[in-house]
Amino acid sequence: MTDRKDPAKSSSKDPAPNEKGAGSAKQSMGGPSAKPRAARPKRSLIERAATALGSGTSSDDAGVRNLAAADRLDAKFDATEALVAAIPENVNKPAEYALRGKVPQPPQGATAKPENLDATASTITESNESEKNGDKAAPGENLNQGPLQKHRADSLGRALTTNQGVPVGDNQNSLRAGLRGPTLLEDFILREKITHFDHERIPERVVHARGSGAHGYFECTEDITSLTKAAPFAKVGKRTPVFVRFSTVAGERGSADTVRDVRGFAVKFYTDEGNWDLVGNNIPVFFIQDPMKFPDVVHAVKPEPHHQMPQASSAHDTFWDFISLMPESIHMVMWQMSDRAIPRSYRTMQGFGVHTFRLVNSAGEATLVKFHWTPVLGTHSLDWDEAVKIAGADPDFHRRDLWEAIEGGAFPEYLLQIQTFTEAEAEAWSFDVLDATKIVPEELAPLRTVGRLVLNRNPDNFFAETEQVAFCTQHIVPGIDFTNDPLLQGRNFSYLDTQLLRLGGPNFHEIPINAPVVQVHNNQRDGFHRQTINRGRVNYEPNSLAGGCPFQAGARGFASVAERLLAQQASTEPTKLRAKPEKFADHYTQARLFWASQTPIEREHIARAFRFELTRVQTQAIRERMVAMLRNVDEGLAARVAADLGTPLPEPLSMVVPPVKAPEVAVSPALSLLARPGDGRILGRRVAILVADGVAGAGASALYDALLLAGAVPRYVGQRLGVVRTAEGDELPVEVTVEAAPSVLFDAAVLPPGAGAAALARDGLAVEFVQLQYRHCKPLLVPASAASLAVAAGVTAAAAAAAGGGDDPGLLVLPDDEVAAAAPAFIKAIAMHRAWQRQTEPPAV
């Protein structure tokens, strides 16, 4: 053997250069120089493994390294042989087949443990450490997953560098040939910076492009392990981290928040059995029944292709042309024309899973389910006129509201409620639960609260988290399963396909915000932007060279539920066909249910929405077709819209099948927004306290403090920034002006007690502020001394209320000395959200 003490000296028994490594078939060209195995003493596997795990292969002494590497390669070879021999055949192969008519349960994959970890290593040099390499991979670990903390960066106290870590000495000037000479191509710092800037944008989502996100947690509050083995519901009190993204649907990434549109409500659960994405909307139904029509409905609602208008609006010909020819859409359109389509905030917006899913318990038993998110603060909306004005005053209104609420500690909270029912119950109903244009009325399947969702952390970086988060309906975990809802099946394909393009390839799951908190182990390799550096030579299954790992999980892994919903049709229908069930053909029964369940003011809003939308439609025949469709929903609604459009009442559209004569539910109060006022808290509600010189500071300050204590966001609003002098001789700060923060950005207002109102009554902006607060039916607190400002704004009801008349719970008129004590009553009025009793058509003020 070569003398370890003097590697320069070689024994006469050393092989010739062309013989090195010849005795070991495992050695590769250019590998360590090792003697043929026969030329060296045979040592035990344990002895050689000890050498292999020592520091010999990283020694600074080349001779030591040479012999240590030879020993280590010998040990690796023998350990590999032993590992492969431990799995002589694929014992699980028979379990792939239904032999003798019996469907087997998938077994756990067969594995063997290596006697030496080098047996599964990519390279024996894996333990050679550096600041970049770090240590070798720990057995069975994928540290690329887990908390986001390791992906966050902070530059405090750090100098600028290039993306390659090279310090940047001058970030102000590009490299030139002389002071006034040309910029040089060799300036790699400039080129890298400009190139990265040029490539900063990725394709926006085709739909749901405009979004806002937040981190939080889901907490299980009821034991439903009898229904599902899904990880988030494993036990009461268990918390699962989540990331939630709210969005509009039709608009582009830079469009306004307060447009009339469907809102996305997507929740990514980072469970301890993988990621579950519940990708829903704030409306429980959809426009279409079959995914074949999804490109059509999106094309129709998007800006018209010849001039790319209108942005983020459905009030145009192509949308209504499509809708009026697709009667299955009428139920969704009724919701879209209701106040549901203009929520006050994401914090006061319901969410729905839309489709029928399955819950699966540990025994493999399935229950049909629909998912609901119910905001604890109630479900509230904007007035349409208000929404239009907000779009101009603050296009980021919903995004700002969500961010500021979380930042201020008013964490949004929602209840997860489920509707569960059996296949037998579903088959007996007059509608088909696989039809995404239908709801299951709560009267047939009551809501059951099983958990709560709390959003308690804003993202660090919008692009890295909110923009790059990828939701896919196909992301489910054991305990959750699909049904044959055709639209859901289409979404399962479409969402994954979208992320592959938008995020640059199949490794979008390795982007930190998309990575699960559990480890990922599979044989998927390569592709654009791969982050994981997989250890070992094996990338297939079954295998023996890696001890069978990673192996299939067997019974503890995900398994689809045997399909039974279509069992009755199996004997009468062809195996493959392009058609829909007969119950899908009833397009109007549930649209009638929705209309019948609305309060008078909500019906008024729906009629106004149809008037606005269809007024923007330029083609008369399309307007008439829509009115003809509405006649199948409600004659009064159709007559009202026809009159508003100045068109005769057309004949009703023909129906594929007539509506159900005696539906299971004729009126469902739960479909009315006014049935969901919330828990009475006013967290995050923005309240304007108008101030001017002469204001009674004591009353205004006491009210401000009371609102702040209740979780609201009060603001002193004046004509100019600075301070105002109070009647007591003190000062109050003006936090924002009526010009910069118009009325539509506030949920309620307080007129100034004392002498300050007179000056505001002469200010057109202040008068308009009060006028719009009243017109939009928001709570108003009017001290007696501010009556002149109210009258100047046309709020004559204030005078009537002061005289003891009027019936407006949102209008509090009281003496100046009672302003501070009125806080509880005013907070109660704010919690009501609106005093719709005062709304008139057209507006009186």
Side-chain angles (χ1 to χ4, degrees):
M1 295 183 70
T2 303
D3 187 350
R4 291 176 182 264
K5 296 181 180 180
D6 188 0
K9 297 178 180 179
S10 59
S11 168
S12 60
K13 294 182 180 180
D14 281 350
N18 64 343
E19 294 176 333
K20 289 183 179 180
S24 177
K26 63 195 172 294
Q27 294 214 31
S28 60
M29 295 297 292
S33 177
K35 294 186 176 187
R37 301 178 70 184
R40 293 186 290 114
K42 179 74 173 179
R43 297 195 297 157
S44 71
L45 183 62
I46 294 177
E47 287 177 315
R48 284 182 285 122
T51 302
L53 296 177
S55 60
T57 54
S58 59
S59 172
D60 290 335
D61 188 316
V64 172
R65 287 200 311 273
N66 187 284
L67 291 177
D71 276 347
R72 192 162 179 176
L73 286 168
D74 278 343
K76 175 181 172 71
F77 181 83
D78 290 343
T80 300
E81 290 283 3
L83 185 62
V84 171
I87 304 178
E89 63 175 317
N90 185 355
V91 296
N92 289 333
K93 193 65 178 177
E96 298 176 20
Y97 307 97
L99 303 177
R100 292 175 291 280
K102 184 178 180 181
V103 179
Q105 292 293 323
Q108 179 171 302
T111 65
K113 185 177 180 181
E115 296 170 312
N116 174 356
L117 289 179
D118 274 352
T120 55
S122 306
T123 168
I124 64 168
T125 64
E126 65 178 357
S127 56
N128 293 349
E129 298 182 25
S130 73
E131 290 187 4
K132 180 63 176 177
N133 285 334
D135 199 1
K136 65 182 181 181
E141 295 289 333
N142 179 356
L143 299 180
N144 201 43
Q145 312 307 131
L148 290 172
Q149 180 181 355
K150 64 179 178 291
H151 300 285
R152 296 192 178 107
D154 188 282
S155 298
L156 185 65
R158 298 289 183 176
L160 278 170
T161 70
T162 68
N163 286 335
Q164 304 303 317
V166 178
V168 175
D170 186 342
N171 192 47
Q172 316 306 319
N173 301 291
S174 54
L175 187 64
R176 301 180 182 88
L179 286 177
R180 303 184 69 241
T183 299
L184 299 179
L185 187 61
E186 72 179 71
D187 190 350
F188 66 92
I189 297 175
L190 171 67
R191 185 178 180 194
E192 180 195 88
K193 186 175 181 180
I194 293 296
T195 299
H196 194 281
F197 172 76
D198 291 343
H199 292 257
E200 280 181 359
R201 296 295 176 263
I202 63 174
E204 68 175 33
R205 292 166 171 88
V206 176
V207 288
H208 298 276
R210 172 74 179 183
S212 303
H215 293 275
Y217 63 85
F218 170 78
E219 180 179 4
C220 178
T221 58
E222 183 178 345
D223 184 356
I224 57 170
T225 52
S226 62
L227 295 175
T228 180
K229 61 181 179 180
F233 309 106
K235 63 179 180 180
V236 173
K238 180 177 182 178
R239 290 187 174 183
T240 301
V242 301
F243 187 82
V244 177
R245 186 176 185 270
F246 304 106
S247 57
T248 57
V249 172
E252 296 174 0
R253 191 156 51 193
S255 56
D257 279 346
T258 58
V259 295
R260 177 181 294 282
D261 196 2
V262 186
R263 298 305 191 283
F265 195 129
V267 182
K268 184 180 290 290
F269 296 79
Y270 301 96
T271 87
D272 48 24
E273 290 193 331
N275 287 356
W276 170 32
D277 292 352
L278 184 54
V279 193
N281 292 327
N282 73 323
I283 292 176
V285 291
F286 201 62
F287 293 101
I288 53 175
Q289 297 170 327
D290 193 287
M292 187 73 79
K293 304 307 297 175
F294 191 74
D296 297 304
V297 68
V298 173
H299 284 169
V301 76
K302 283 287 190 176
E304 297 188 13
H306 62 304
H307 56 34
Q308 201 61 17
M309 295 186 290
Q311 175 59 239
S313 172
S314 55
H316 58 103
D317 287 35
T318 59
F319 175 74
W320 290 100
D321 181 40
F322 176 82
I323 292 299
S324 61
L325 294 171
M326 292 288 289
E328 70 196 58
S329 300
I330 188 59
H331 187 200
M332 177 69 171
V333 169
M334 295 298 294
W335 284 79
Q336 187 186 10
M337 293 301 106
S338 77
D339 293 343
R340 302 274 185 160
I342 42 174
R344 159 59 183 84
S345 67
Y346 294 135
R347 299 180 297 117
T348 57
M349 180 181 82
Q350 279 184 283
F352 303 91
V354 179
H355 306 284
T356 300
F357 291 86
R358 284 191 175 93
L359 297 178
V360 186
N361 64 18
S362 57
E365 300 164 334
T367 304
L368 298 176
V369 63
K370 280 185 172 286
F371 296 103
H372 299 242
W373 295 110
T374 301
V376 172
L377 294 178
T379 308
H380 302 296
S381 66
L382 296 169
D383 180 80
W384 175 236
D385 177 68
E386 185 180 29
V388 171
K389 290 179 170 63
I390 291 174
D394 185 2
D396 305 304
F397 184 72
H398 286 154
R399 179 175 291 175
R400 192 182 313 280
D401 177 273
L402 180 67
W403 179 277
E404 291 181 349
I406 295 174
E407 208 72 0
F411 298 151
E413 185 173 341
Y414 310 81
L415 302 179
L416 178 60
Q417 299 178 304
I418 60 174
Q419 290 177 290
T420 57
F421 42 93
T422 65
E423 293 181 3
E425 290 173 321
E427 290 172 1
W429 292 332
S430 61
F431 54 92
D432 197 319
V433 298
L434 299 185
D435 182 353
T437 68
K438 307 292 195 304
I439 64 168
V440 175
E442 293 180 24
E443 289 77 5
L444 298 181
L447 296 182
R448 177 179 178 182
T449 301
V450 298
R452 69 187 187 111
L453 171 69
V454 178
L455 304 181
N456 62 0
R457 192 190 196 284
N458 281 315
D460 283 291
N461 182 272
F462 183 90
F463 177 83
E465 297 170 89
T466 305
E467 188 63 23
Q468 287 198 125
V469 68
F471 294 96
C472 295
T473 54
Q474 69 177 48
H475 292 168
I476 56 176
V477 294
I480 309 291
D481 203 359
F482 308 120
T483 61
N484 281 345
D485 179 331
L487 189 62
L488 174 58
Q489 297 290 335
R491 290 179 75 194
N492 286 346
F493 172 84
S494 177
Y495 279 52
L496 174 61
D497 198 46
T498 295
Q499 308 303 351
L500 292 174
L501 173 67
R502 200 175 69 85
L503 296 173
N507 290 314
F508 67 86
H509 63 282
E510 293 195 322
I511 296 172
I513 191 63
N514 295 319
V517 295
V518 294
Q519 295 184 26
V520 171
H521 296 281
N522 55 46
N523 295 307
Q524 296 169 18
R525 297 291 189 269
D526 309 337
F528 285 112
H529 313 305
R530 182 69 170 179
Q531 305 295 311
T532 302
I533 301 172
N534 295 95
R535 178 179 183 271
R537 64 196 286 195
V538 168
N539 57 0
Y540 54 89
E541 188 278 333
N543 69 70
S544 61
L545 284 170
C549 301
F551 52 88
Q552 68 179 33
R556 70 183 180 86
F558 180 86
S560 297
V561 175
E563 179 59 59
R564 290 189 295 273
L565 273 178
L566 300 181
Q568 291 184 344
Q569 289 95 344
S571 61
T572 60
E573 293 178 357
T575 303
K576 296 181 180 180
L577 72 166
R578 293 184 184 272
K580 299 182 182 75
E582 183 176 341
K583 288 182 180 180
F584 277 47
D586 176 11
H587 302 140
Y588 295 102
T589 297
Q590 290 210 347
R592 291 180 174 185
L593 169 63
F594 183 79
W595 176 258
S597 304
Q598 304 303 296
T599 62
I601 189 63
E602 289 172 304
R603 293 186 182 186
E604 176 69 26
H605 291 176
I606 292 172
R608 284 168 44 187
F610 275 113
R611 179 184 69 198
F612 175 86
E613 294 278 323
L614 296 176
T615 297
R616 301 288 296 272
V617 172
Q618 302 301 304
T619 307
Q620 172 71 13
I622 295 175
R623 296 197 294 266
E624 292 179 354
R625 193 189 301 141
M626 270 309 306
V627 174
M629 182 182 285
L630 291 177
R631 289 196 68 179
N632 292 332
V633 177
D634 183 80
E635 282 288 344
L637 173 60
R640 164 72 184 277
V641 174
D644 287 346
L645 297 176
T647 185
L649 200 61
E651 289 296 317
L653 284 188
S654 60
M655 293 184 270
V656 181
V657 298
V660 178
K661 289 185 178 180
E664 297 89 346
V665 179
V667 176
S668 178
L671 301 182
S672 168
L673 276 178
L674 302 188
R676 302 179 177 278
D679 62 1
R681 292 183 296 167
I682 59 171
L683 299 180
R685 292 298 181 93
R686 301 169 71 175
V687 183
I689 301 178
L690 296 176
V691 294
D693 287 337
V695 64
S701 297
L703 197 56
Y704 189 106
D705 293 342
L707 291 168
L708 200 62
L709 188 62
V713 183
R715 289 289 181 265
Y716 290 125
V717 182
Q719 295 168 292
R720 296 288 183 273
L721 291 178
V723 296
V724 294
R725 181 70 61 179
T726 69
E728 298 88 347
D730 299 319
E731 292 180 341
L732 285 179
V734 176
E735 298 174 278
V736 70
T737 67
V738 290
E739 179 182 34
S743 167
V744 290
L745 302 183
F746 293 93
D747 297 286
V750 179
L751 274 56
L760 295 180
R762 297 188 296 272
D763 184 330
L765 290 176
V767 170
E768 182 184 52
F769 189 103
V770 177
Q771 182 185 65
L772 291 179
Q773 283 284 311
Y774 185 78
R775 178 186 297 176
H776 296 146
C777 304
K778 296 177 180 178
L780 272 172
L781 193 156
V782 183
S785 59
S788 60
L789 176 55
V791 171
V795 186
T796 54
D807 183 20
D808 187 340
L811 184 62
L812 281 66
V813 181
L814 64 169
D816 284 27
D817 59 0
E818 296 181 12
V819 167
F826 190 48
I827 289 171
K828 183 178 179 180
I830 297 171
M832 289 171 46
H833 185 62
R834 307 279 178 162
W836 292 120
Q837 299 91 331
R838 77 169 74 128
Q839 190 167 61
T840 59
E841 175 66 21
V845 174

